[in-house]
Amino acid sequence: MLEGRSLIEPGDFSIEEMDGLFNLAKRIEEDRVYLRESCRGRLLATLFFEPSTRTRLSFEAAMLRLGGSCLGFAEPGSSSVSKGESLADTVRTVACYADLMVMRNPKEGAALLASRYAEVPVINAGDGGHHHPTQTLTDLLTIKRLRERKGEAGLKDVVRGLTVGFCGDLKFGRTVHSLTKALTRCEDLRLIFISPGELRVPGYITALLDTQGIPYQETSSLEEAMPSLDVLYMTRVQRERFFNEEDYIRLKDTYVLTRDKMETAKRELIILHPLPRVNEIAAELDTDPRAAYFKQAKYGMFVRMALISSILGVAHA
Ligand code: NCD
């Protein structure tokens, strides 16, 4: 039962609970009338202290499609935080007006803090370079939907035997941290982390993989990893988390996925990207059937509809 619960990091929901959300998302996608008015009279607050296109708009679209309403702000300058109000006071106030809160903040731990002060459930839409659990739900639903053609199955079965590659900024990329963390609860899969030395995945993530006995490899060569990958998760270099612009400029184009580099890739490869993309995937690949990043954005809305309706208790995932 997800009713009344917050979602701060991927470990907050079990694999079974995620499977419930994926099944609900599929039902919502297939039957556009189902749950259409279920959130009438309910309010979703979106508190975005950092830029966003997909996450904020897909949450708002999800709530509106469920018949509910949205309020909030998309830049910190337009809230009283710019007058010096604390995050605790802001969320306590917003909780008086809304039934559910979605928050993105540049500080790691901000969503957890918000959930301690808010009297309504809080969904973390990204806290600094830490976590982004609803992007993980989106990523996993995409992998599941693209692979289950071979028969319906739960997440654990779908990812069994896969080699998943993460490429780009693995140090600051919160989507990478969250997806890896979720995958550590599955079995018989292998991860390959592809990054420049300075942008390697944090030690707490590799420590988790060691504890769970999930095999992984770290390399700086995308070419070397490519032939063995079933899923390639590309990421942007997170400019806003760099301490100096020179390092960003030096590292930003380390990996650019082009048609040439795809020559050794599997025919069934799934290319994911949480988006926005800057330069990591050449536009010439958008028409390749393996490019799944725009489908991924669409699945994001359906899984958020499933999440909102479950947390508000109008559906049971
Ligand atoms: C990601 C994020 O904000 O972490 N975007 C998203 O939510 N889809 C990835 C990114 O900004 O690079």
Side-chain angles (χ1 to χ4, degrees), residues 4-263:
R5 291 188 23 205
S6 288
L7 175 59
I8 308 301
E9 59 116 320
D12 291 340
F13 289 178
S14 68
I15 290 286
E16 292 69 31
E17 285 167 336
M18 288 194 230
D19 267 326
L21 285 173
F22 300 147
N23 293 337
L24 184 57
K26 187 173 184 194
R27 176 150 185 219
I28 293 169
E29 184 188 353
E30 286 170 354
D31 176 358
R32 301 293 172 107
V33 180
Y34 178 59
L35 297 181
R36 200 165 58 179
E37 292 299 317
S38 62
C39 290
R40 182 150 302 282
R42 315 295 285 275
L43 272 175
L44 171 76
T46 51
L47 281 61
F48 277 68
F49 296 90
E50 270 192 345
S52 170
T53 299
R54 274 147 294 270
T55 306
R56 187 171 63 83
L57 294 185
S58 67
F59 262 113
E60 293 185 2
M63 188 55 165
L64 295 171
R65 282 172 183 264
L66 293 166
S69 308
C70 308
L71 75 171
F73 53 83
E75 30 183 313
S78 63
S79 79
S80 281
V81 170
S82 64
K83 298 181 188 170
E85 185 175 54
S86 70
L87 186 64
D89 286 1
T90 302
V91 300
R92 260 193 290 223
T93 307
V94 174
C96 301
Y97 312 142
D99 301 292
L100 177 61
M101 203 182 296
V102 176
M103 195 181 79
R104 170 170 289 184
N105 193 284
K107 291 208 177 90
E108 286 81 10
L112 180 64
L113 182 129
S115 70
R116 298 211 168 128
Y117 285 95
E119 281 188 4
V120 299
V122 174
I123 299 174
N124 182 9
D127 61 326
H130 194 215
H131 278 298
H132 190 351
T134 65
Q135 182 63 46
T136 298
L137 292 173
T138 302
D139 303 337
L140 292 174
L141 175 63
T142 309
I143 296 172
K144 188 169 185 289
R145 294 300 301 279
L146 295 180
R147 291 194 56 93
E148 73 188 358
R149 281 169 291 158
K150 295 160 192 157
E152 300 280 322
L155 183 62
K156 275 192 175 171
D157 297 320
V158 168
V159 301
R160 202 179 296 282
L162 293 188
T163 298
V164 181
F166 291 91
C167 179
D169 185 348
L170 311 187
K171 179 178 181 185
F172 296 117
R174 55 195 173 197
T175 61
V176 172
H177 307 156
S178 284
L179 181 53
T180 307
K181 191 160 183 196
L183 289 173
T184 59
R185 291 144 87 211
C186 297
E187 291 142 28
D188 293 340
L189 77 165
R190 194 163 73 98
L191 306 184
I192 305 184
F193 296 109
I194 307 145
S195 75
E198 285 122 304
L199 299 179
R200 282 170 63 188
V201 72
Y204 81 90
I205 298 282
T206 47
L208 197 62
L209 293 167
D210 289 332
T211 312
Q212 300 298 319
I214 310 252
Y216 66 90
Q217 208 180 308
E218 288 185 89
T219 173
S220 57
S221 168
L222 176 57
E223 285 80 0
E224 193 185 293
M226 190 63 99
S228 56
L229 300 179
D230 299 296
V231 176
L232 171 57
Y233 196 93
M234 293 297 293
T235 62
R236 139 187 104 86
V237 175
Q238 307 276 300
R239 180 183 202 158
E240 64 276 32
R241 311 216 192 282
F242 273 70
F243 293 110
N244 75 69
E245 186 72 3
E246 273 163 41
D247 286 348
Y248 168 72
I249 291 169
R250 186 168 48 82
L251 294 167
K252 71 184 172 69
D253 292 327
T254 314
Y255 304 103
V256 181
L257 189 61
T258 56
R259 207 174 274 155
D260 291 351
K261 294 205 182 107
M262 290 287 290
E263 257 165 35

